[in-house]
Each structure stands twice: as C-alpha cells, then as structure tokens.
Amino acid sequence: MNYRGFATRAIHVGQEPDPTTGAVIPPIHLSSTYAQDAPGKHRGFEYSRTNNPTRQAWEQNIAALEEGSYAIAFASGMAAIDAVVRLLRPGDHIVASADLYGGTVRLFDRVWSTFGISATYVDAREPEAVKHAFRPETRLLYIESPTNPLLHLADIAAMADIAHRHNAWLVVDNTFATPYAQQPLTLGADLVVHSTTKYLAGHSDVVGGVVVTRHPELAERLRFFQNAAGAIPSPFECWLCLRSVKTLALRMQQHERNARAVAELCAVHPAVQAVYYPGLPTHPQHELARRQMRNFTGMLSLDLGSAERALEFLRHLRLFTLAESLGGVESLVSHPATMTHASLSPERRRSVGITEGLIRLSCGIEDTEDLLEDITQALNSV
Ligand SMILES: *Cc1c(COP(=O)(O)O)cnc(C)c1O
C-alpha cells in the first residue's frame, strides 16, 4: 500500500503484521540459513548475508521514507559510502563538497586514491565553482547539505542539474537532514546515503548505514557489493532502526524546537561571535533552506572566538555531554577542531572555516527550558 503521510509510512511500510503469528511487530530473524523446498528453490531467503527478512523490512521502510525504490543497508555509514565509490572505476574522478564529514574525506583520499580514484573538493554553495571542478572523467558529484559542522547548504536541484549535464551521478549524504527534513531523490539526486547511526536510529545505540536510489541498475550493483563484500548490519540493528524511525517525525520536531531556541539565545549573547543555523533568518542561505527543507534539525554551531573560550564553555556545560556523533535523543556537544575534524590538516580546517573556537551542538529532545538554562550558564562563564 502507498501511504502519503511520512509518519504513516514510517510506522507501516515493510511492517505488516506477521502472516503466520499475527505479531504486530516484525520479529528479529536471527537464522543464518533457510530451508529450501528443492535444491536452489527457496522463498526469497537462502543465507543471511545475501538477504534477511528483518533487514529487508528495514530496507523497504527507508526506501519509502526517502521516496526511493530501493534501499541497501550496510554495517555503518562509511560502509554505505564505500559501496557507492565501488560503482566507479580506476581513473574516475569525484567532485565533492569542501566540508564533508571527515571520515568521507579519509575514505576518498587515503583508501580509494590508492586504487586510482581521485577527488576534488569545492565550495558546493557556489554552483559555478562546482561546474569548474568537473573533468571529462568525473562520474560522481558527492555533497552533504547541511554540512558538518558549519551548516552550509548546497542547492540540491541545481547540483543534480550540473551532475546530469556532465553525465555524472549526484550523491547526497542526507545524514544531517533525514528524509523527514529533506528528500534529495525528489530534487533529482541519484543516490542518497545515510549514517543511520545519527537521527534515523536516533538513540545513540546503533552504528549503521544505508544507500537509497530509484535506479534499478545502480541498486542491483549495490546489492551485489552488499553480498560480495559482506559489510551487512545485523538483524537486531535493522530492527532497532525500524523501531526508531517510527518516532522520527516527532523527534525531529522537538530537535528543531530546541535548536531554534538555542540558536536564538546564542544569536544575542555577547560571548558568541557567530551562530550557524539554517533556521535563523540571518543564515545567509535561509531562503534555500526554506525551499528544500521542511525542518531545520537539531544541529547548530557557535564560534566563541578562541580555543580557550571554547574549552571554558565545554567545562561548564552540565546537560550537554561532550561526545562525538549527533542526532540522538540526548544533547551532545563537540569541539570539531580537536574531535570530529582532528584528522584534517590544520590548513585544510582553516580553509573550510573550522576555527579553534568552533563548538558544534546536537540538541536532543529534552525540555527546551533545561537546555536554555545549561547553555546560558555555560556562556555566562566564558
Ligand atoms: C557519522 C557520519 C558518517 C559516517 O557514518 P558511520 O555510521 O559513523 O560510519 C557519514 N556522514 C555523515 C554526515 C556523518 O555524520
């Protein structure tokens, strides 16, 4: 059945009551192997690396949430991105946004570069810069929007147009936005990747990834890599994802409510030099954000001016936990220069604008007043 509403799809697709027992919640199928009716004649499942009923239910669900036709689940976001790069051949070239997730840059520059695949990084806020980076051998335009940690946006429809004019595929890492906030396939993207570790699983208790597409031939090749290379998620992790997305719409609404309140507070606090939040009308790309997103998420960053002030702020926070990762129900804070982006060279960090005073906040779904109180007292001590 084709449900129109996002929350209805999140709760029902791939999860009809179990036909044999009537169980309303899909079971966690742990079996590694499946009885065959005759040699080579099976009921869609033969070995759990190849296919598993719980994983299949999750893949159907996330495909529907992204308005895609196919989803292929992986053991982590990095394994999902790695599978996408496997669609290329030696000699092929990637154009990518400059402030990508650090692990993705590491994968492109330190793993795939040794197999003859190169990447050029450009400011994807500037379509002209993106066009100029294309070469005859460019096969992939790979972007994040919003980016980590500066919340820069790329115009996804414009990026799809550029990629397709150059006979390349557009890949969007939609981890920061989630399909609740933004659906890149509806804007022309060919592939969406996720670290399900973040908002989709949403409770900081799963590491996982997924690729979603509408192209049957790309789906078939990715499905082949999933089985051939074997970086699959466990049935339990797939079940946790199925369970988690049922509340994605509600969670995103509260994440946004909290982040907006924190951003508005920080925008007028004298200790804060800059606030980066696409939901603020003062964000330079606020119009684009309103056009392609329906929720501005719980992520925002602040610049406190120096490493000393940033560390002082971190020392005083009580409710926000100092930790990498994001998108969980609990509020987290990080210092990108020494944590998530420590693997980038200092020059690279400076060139993309990640200063020593930058703080990234992942606002959870706690009560807004408690978060505001914590941020206020920590800012007042800087
Ligand atoms: C975390 C993250 C990844 C990597 O995902 P893992 O699940 O940690 O492997 C990729 N892209 C973005 C934007 C992320 O935040």
Side-chain angles (χ1 to χ4, degrees), residues 75-81 100-104 142 144 146-148 173-176 193-198 206-209 325-326 360:
S76 67
M78 290 322 305
I81 297 165
L100 284 189
Y101 177 71
T104 305
Y142 187 103
E144 291 175 18
T147 62
N148 176 31
D173 182 333
N174 206 29
T175 300
F176 262 51
V193 296
H194 275 285
S195 167
T196 58
T197 315
K198 315 297 168 48
V206 174
V207 173
S325 201
L326 61 108
R360 187 188 79 184

Side-chain angles (χ1 to χ4, degrees), residues 314 317 320-323 331-335 339 359-361:
L314 292 175
L317 283 173
F320 282 79
T321 302
L322 180 66
S331 292
L332 300 179
V333 60
S334 73
H335 184 233
M339 295 170 65
I359 293 282
R360 187 188 79 184
L361 298 173

